[in-house]
Amino acid sequence: MGAELTELGYLVLLKIHKRNVVVLTMLCSNVSLAPLENNNVNDSACRTVSVGFPITMMVTGLVGNSLALILVYVSYRRKENRRKKSFLLCIGSLALTDLFGQLMTSPIVISVYRAGRKWENIDTDGCLCSFFGVCMTTFGLCALFLASAMAIERAMAITNPHWYSNHMKTSVTKQILGVMFLLVLLFALLPIAGVGEYQKQWPGTWCFISTGDSKVPGNTVFAVTFAALGIFSLLVTLSCNSGASQSSKQWERLTTETVIQLMGIMCVLLICWSPLLVLMLKMIYNQMSSHECGLSSTANTSRTLDCNFFLTAIRLASLNQILDPWVYLLLREILLRKFCIVANAVSNCSTEDQKGTQTVLDALNKQNQNGNKLGINQSN
């Protein structure tokens, strides 16, 4: 009887183990962890970067986003900011998105650096790579779409104030933001369902969308869609800000604080995301992926430049999560007023100095003229 129970327990455990294997296989499908052979190729580009670099970025991002969330909450509770509540919801969502993006990806990068930049030491089955890729895709697209939502919201508030005040409620804004985040998350989960692939990228410290493997079903379409959505959101943000800036009369009815903050965030997005999105399209067209950078067969000059530039581009995109909250913190009304006061003081001082200098020059010229007249009279 005891032997039969033991055998039955063994069979149950075996079935449970098989089911767990099936679940892990589904979660970790379409994840490539191809080893980067000859990882010393072009290793000088990342050799000087220690674990202190991602730690510094994480701490700076956490502090900035936390402060931004506190200030947004305080501003949202004020009665005089009713017209800005939708904008504050958007910028608070942006700070929250950047904060969660830092919390979910930075510890993984730090662990990889501490493991000697060998991803396989902390992720043997590829599940962590898939999770990292989903986070990068979700929080990256959400940040771009939130900037577009803020630009559209401000453009409607400036160009159509009456329609905006009657129809644009905070409940509508919350619903739009919720649906947007859900759609982006579903898009990011497509490689888990078998459409597209997340792949470990050079120099082996991060995972992202594969750009060079056309054999994986839907991989090219998935990568192109991500880049196209990112570029489209940047164009929407740019066009809405440009259109709103031409409505000068209605511009004056609203505070310029939100407009200046939005322009700053737009500039940061363009600088941080444009190189990565454009380079992704180029690498997709050339059927190249950054995981090939460590292979000796691809170590030629053109590919070396692309690999180094791709690494710089992804670092710029990661820097966006840090800069966004500081743009909001530094471009607030109280700091803008202080800046204007200081600028006016400096301008007045320079104007007075110019007047004093001009007075001295006039006096010297007058003195020279009198001296010349005296010399002429003495000669006569």
Side-chain angles (χ1 to χ4, degrees):
M1 184 69 177
E4 291 177 355
L5 289 174
T6 303
E7 185 178 358
L8 180 61
Y10 174 76
L11 291 174
V12 170
L13 290 175
L14 184 61
K15 288 183 178 180
I16 294 174
H17 175 70
K18 288 182 177 180
R19 288 181 180 178
N20 290 337
V21 169
V22 172
V23 172
L24 286 174
T25 303
M26 291 177 63
L27 288 175
C28 307
S29 61
N30 283 21
V31 178
S32 176
L33 288 178
L36 300 180
E37 301 174 2
N38 287 337
N39 200 30
N40 57 346
V41 179
N42 301 324
D43 197 46
S44 60
C46 56
R47 187 178 298 169
T48 57
V49 180
S50 64
V51 70
F53 181 74
I55 291 177
T56 303
M57 291 184 65
M58 183 182 71
V59 172
T60 308
L62 293 179
V63 171
N65 286 298
S66 299
L67 290 175
L69 283 172
I70 294 172
L71 291 175
V72 168
Y73 177 77
V74 173
S75 300
Y76 187 81
R77 301 294 295 178
R78 291 177 182 173
K79 294 182 179 179
E80 59 268 21
N81 289 333
R82 289 180 180 178
R83 293 184 178 181
K84 296 196 303 179
K85 281 195 171 183
S86 293
F87 178 81
L88 291 172
L89 278 174
C90 290
I91 202 166
S93 300
L94 179 61
L96 194 64
T97 299
D98 292 338
L99 180 64
F100 274 98
Q102 288 280 325
L103 287 174
M104 291 187 178
T105 58
S106 295
I108 299 176
V109 175
I110 293 171
S111 301
V112 175
Y113 269 90
R114 291 181 62 86
R117 295 206 306 273
K118 294 181 180 179
W119 189 279
E120 294 80 6
N121 292 347
I122 66 169
D123 183 25
T124 56
D125 51 15
C127 293
L128 195 60
C129 183
S130 179
F131 174 78
F132 195 95
V134 170
C135 290
M136 289 283 291
T137 304
T138 302
F139 295 114
L141 277 182
C142 278
L144 292 167
F145 286 169
L146 282 170
S148 298
M150 286 189 290
I152 295 172
E153 187 270 342
R154 284 294 89 184
M156 289 191 301
I158 293 170
T159 57
N160 299 292
H162 298 292
W163 183 93
Y164 177 85
S165 60
N166 293 328
H167 296 85
M168 199 63 186
K169 308 297 182 182
T170 54
S171 58
V172 177
T173 306
K174 292 177 183 179
Q175 292 174 3
I176 293 174
L177 294 177
V179 171
M180 182 191 69
F181 182 81
L182 180 61
L183 291 176
V184 171
L185 180 61
L186 291 175
F187 173 78
L189 290 174
L190 284 178
I192 308 300
V195 181
E197 180 187 34
Y198 291 120
Q199 197 170 50
K200 185 177 67 174
Q201 307 289 334
W202 183 79
T205 56
W206 58 292
C207 289
F208 196 51
I209 300 171
S210 175
T211 57
D213 193 355
S214 58
K215 297 179 181 179
V216 178
N219 185 58
T220 302
V221 176
F222 180 72
V224 170
T225 303
F226 175 85
L229 287 174
I231 293 174
F232 175 74
S233 64
L234 289 177
L235 293 176
V236 169
T237 305
L238 183 61
S239 61
C240 287
N241 288 333
S242 301
S245 63
Q246 297 175 2
S247 305
S248 58
K249 293 182 180 180
Q250 294 169 342
W251 187 290
E252 296 171 358
R253 299 177 186 176
L254 300 173
T255 176
T256 57
E257 179 187 21
T258 56
V259 177
I260 294 175
Q261 290 169 349
L262 186 55
M263 295 294 288
I265 291 174
M266 183 193 69
C267 292
V268 170
L269 281 173
L270 286 173
I271 294 172
C272 292
W273 276 99
S274 296
L276 176 63
L277 297 173
V278 173
L279 188 59
M280 277 188 69
L281 293 177
K282 179 183 176 183
M283 296 178 77
I284 293 169
Y285 179 77
N286 294 330
Q287 292 294 309
M288 177 186 174
S289 181
S290 72
H291 83 282
E292 302 173 0
C293 294
L295 303 176
S296 58
S297 59
T298 60
N300 55 59
T301 306
S302 61
R303 289 182 178 266
T304 299
L305 293 175
D306 285 340
C307 293
N308 292 333
F309 187 53
F310 192 73
L311 184 61
T312 304
I314 196 64
R315 286 173 177 169
L316 275 176
S318 301
L319 194 63
N320 176 73
Q321 295 178 334
I322 300 173
L323 296 179
D324 278 344
W326 291 105
V327 170
Y328 174 74
L329 292 172
L330 296 176
L331 297 182
R332 290 182 299 127
E333 185 177 1
I334 184 172
L335 294 180
L336 291 173
R337 285 180 179 177
K338 290 182 179 180
F339 176 77
C340 291
I341 291 172
V342 173
N344 288 332
V346 173
S347 178
N348 291 334
C349 290
S350 61
T351 303
E352 291 177 0
D353 291 341
Q354 289 178 359
K355 289 181 179 179
T357 305
Q358 188 64 33
T359 304
V360 173
L361 290 174
D362 291 341
L364 291 173
N365 290 333
K366 190 174 182 180
Q367 218 172 23
N368 290 333
Q369 290 176 359
N370 292 334
N372 292 333
K373 289 180 180 178
L374 183 61
I376 291 173
N377 292 333
Q378 287 178 353
S379 62
N380 292 333

